[in-house]
Amino acid sequence: MVNKRIKMEKMINSNENPRGLNKPKASLNDRPVRIVRYDIKKEDEGMTVREYLNTRVRFSNRQISSLKFRADGIVVNGRTRRVTCILYEGDVLEIGLKDAGNEYLEPGNFTEPPEILYEDRDLLIVNKVQGMVCHPSPGHYSDTLANQAAYYAKSKNENWTIRLIGRLDSDTSGIIVFAKNSETAALLTKQREEGDMEKTYIAVCEGAVENDRGCIDARIKRDENNLGKMIISDDGKDAVTYYEVIKRGKASTLLRIRIKHGRTHQIRIHMAYAGHPLINDPFYGNGIKDKDHTMLHAETMKLCHPFTKEEMIIKAPLPDIMREYIERM
């Protein structure tokens, strides 16, 4: 009885919409720019396309809905299908990713790409230099890292979307992740929110930190009296910073730092709150704004590739100014 039901379902699927008539007619510009393929395994048999994308790929209902109305958004064994299509072992499911382009971002006056640490069809991971703003903002409309990424895409005749997954202060160097399409961006954002994406920082702070390891748990909010600064406040947002001493000097300490929540200036204000502001920090330490570079670098990133599910560990070399300072310690 069960075998008859499965055969009937397979017949229904094979006859479902043979010409793709349920799909809207699309121009060439609506075609997917990236096809992701999944080979259906025995343990996935019996799932609908919706269930598979939801549980295995971890697409949200909104992402799945966007595929439904995209030309070649959902294809099983070479034919356009609905999200209710039942999958069987040996089936090939293909989803078409579409990006919005970079018309809103100017390539600026860049003539060189950013320092690339890793790149594939979904991700661009770069090492941001100190002093560069991540994304266009007042006063910085065409000289940001996002503009440099737009230049790089244009130089390759590619038109993927520039989407930053997390940011760094302009004064902080290190790893920045760009997603090249909206689906990748959504999956990586979910990883970040759930704590599965982990970034490790290297910092040099003032004074000798007493304990080898520690945790700073103090809420943070914007300082209404000082534009651009943050303050510690009981009515602020949760923020937790973990630190580990790597090396102690006579007047400074080298730290490895991980954070939860990723609030604006979190590491900088937390270390100042603990009595050890970062070296050269113009906001919370003794640095001079627009002259000194804060000794803070996003060195390592651990994440899961949104489609291959491979664990990735990316490392960014220290900028010369930090490396030389640490050597002098």
Side-chain angles (χ1 to χ4, degrees):
M1 192 73 178
V2 174
N3 289 337
K4 283 185 178 180
R5 181 177 60 78
I6 291 176
K7 286 179 180 177
M8 280 293 291
E9 287 176 348
K10 200 151 191 175
M11 285 174 64
I12 291 169
N13 285 339
S14 66
N15 291 320
E16 177 191 15
N17 188 28
R19 293 193 176 97
L21 297 177
N22 62 310
K23 292 287 180 180
K25 213 168 186 180
S27 68
L28 289 176
N29 291 332
D30 293 323
R31 294 290 174 185
V33 293
R34 165 86 163 95
I35 302 294
V36 182
R37 169 180 166 143
Y38 296 97
D39 296 313
I40 304 304
K41 300 176 182 177
K42 187 174 181 60
E43 57 266 29
D44 305 320
E45 186 165 283
M47 281 187 174
T48 63
V49 169
R50 178 186 292 280
E51 290 169 340
Y52 184 90
L53 292 176
N54 196 251
T55 60
R56 297 291 191 260
V57 187
R58 300 190 69 194
F59 270 12
S60 66
N61 290 333
R62 183 176 180 179
Q63 287 174 280
I64 295 170
S65 293
S66 71
L67 291 175
K68 285 170 24 180
F69 299 104
R70 186 177 301 163
D72 296 332
I74 298 172
V75 174
V76 178
N77 300 330
R79 299 174 72 177
T80 303
R81 296 299 184 205
R82 298 179 185 272
V83 293
T84 53
C85 172
I86 297 171
L87 298 171
Y88 294 87
E89 181 183 7
D91 283 348
V92 176
L93 168 64
E94 294 175 315
I95 56 174
L97 309 186
K98 182 81 168 63
D99 42 40
N102 301 312
E103 289 81 4
Y104 72 100
L105 265 179
E106 299 177 7
N109 295 319
F110 290 101
T111 57
E112 296 290 334
E115 181 184 345
I116 298 171
L117 303 172
Y118 175 85
E119 182 181 14
D120 62 21
R121 295 186 65 182
D122 302 299
L123 300 171
L124 175 68
I125 304 178
V126 305
N127 187 15
K128 185 183 88 66
V129 299
Q130 288 178 316
M132 179 178 277
V133 176
C134 281
H135 199 273
S137 58
H140 297 278
Y141 295 106
S142 60
D143 60 349
T144 72
L145 184 63
N147 296 111
Q148 191 175 23
Y151 156 78
Y152 175 61
K154 186 176 181 181
S155 72
K156 297 177 66 180
N157 293 318
E158 295 179 359
N159 198 33
W160 38 269
T161 307
I162 303 295
R163 298 177 187 272
L164 283 127
I165 310 300
R167 301 184 186 185
L168 295 175
D169 299 335
S170 64
D171 219 22
T172 304
S173 59
I175 296 175
I176 283 287
V177 179
F178 288 98
K180 292 186 178 183
N181 52 68
S182 57
E183 287 82 2
T184 296
L187 291 172
L188 290 181
T189 299
K190 185 183 292 185
Q191 277 189 48
R192 188 166 176 263
E193 290 171 350
E194 294 176 352
D196 296 330
M197 180 183 287
E198 187 176 288
K199 190 179 284 187
T200 303
Y201 296 80
I202 297 295
V204 187
C205 67
E206 296 179 12
V209 176
E210 184 177 352
N211 298 322
D212 289 344
R213 290 180 177 80
C215 171
I216 304 167
D217 188 347
R219 291 170 174 257
I220 297 172
K221 75 172 187 178
R222 294 196 177 277
D223 186 347
E224 296 176 359
N225 300 314
N226 290 285
L227 185 65
K229 290 190 70 175
M230 309 296 287
I231 58 172
I232 302 295
S233 175
D234 289 340
D235 62 346
K237 294 181 178 179
D238 289 335
V240 180
T241 300
Y242 303 94
Y243 67 84
E244 175 187 356
V245 173
I246 301 174
K247 179 182 181 181
R248 290 183 178 89
K250 291 182 179 179
S252 57
T253 304
L254 178 64
L255 301 172
R256 180 175 290 110
I257 295 176
R258 292 184 298 107
I259 60 176
K260 285 179 69 176
H261 307 104
R263 309 300 181 194
T264 300
H265 293 180
Q266 179 172 327
I267 294 174
R268 298 163 72 172
I269 191 171
H270 268 180
M271 293 312 302
Y273 175 69
H276 299 282
L278 300 187
I279 297 292
N280 292 344
D281 188 341
F283 279 94
Y284 310 99
N286 297 312
I288 300 173
K289 192 174 182 182
D290 299 326
K291 178 184 176 183
D292 296 328
H293 288 303
T294 305
M295 293 291 173
L296 181 61
H297 176 71
E299 183 191 44
T300 308
M301 167 74 81
K302 184 176 78 171
L303 69 154
C304 175
H305 193 286
F307 296 113
T308 68
K309 304 306 178 185
E310 175 188 3
E311 182 180 88
M312 302 172 62
I313 298 177
I314 309 295
K315 194 166 184 176
L318 287 167
D320 290 343
I321 190 171
M322 279 192 72
R323 180 178 50 78
E324 291 166 3
Y325 185 95
I326 291 168
E327 287 173 355
R328 290 198 302 270
M329 287 176 64

